[in-house]
Amino acid sequence: EESFHNIKNYFATTLMIYLRSYSLLFLITYVELSIGFWLMKIPYAPLIALLVAVFDILPIHFLREVRFLYLSRGNLRACLFV
């Protein structure tokens, strides 16, 4: 019983740290992009910054596999531009 409770607490603590760190990264990205887009006078700067920040936080593991396939076939140029 106590072992399960310890595992549950460890998992909950780890998940909270993970979410807090990604939230901070998201916030920093959003603020930087909003300021940059605003300085460049891009219309709808906060909305565009929000969309970019959302897609930026998503994992891009798929692209790593695609690059590996191109590289394994000797196509360095395609690997660099994926």
Side-chain angles (χ1 to χ4, degrees), residues 25-67:
L25 287 172
F26 176 82
L27 180 65
I28 291 169
T29 303
Y30 173 74
V31 170
E32 286 178 338
L33 289 170
S34 293
I35 291 170
F37 291 157
W38 178 75
L39 288 173
M40 293 188 294
K41 299 188 184 334
I42 294 178
Y44 306 108
L47 178 62
I48 295 171
L50 180 67
L51 291 172
V52 172
V54 166
F55 285 111
D56 181 59
I57 208 75
L58 296 175
I60 55 168
H61 298 290
F62 173 72
L63 291 178
R64 188 173 20 183
E65 280 93 25
V66 170
R67 284 189 177 137

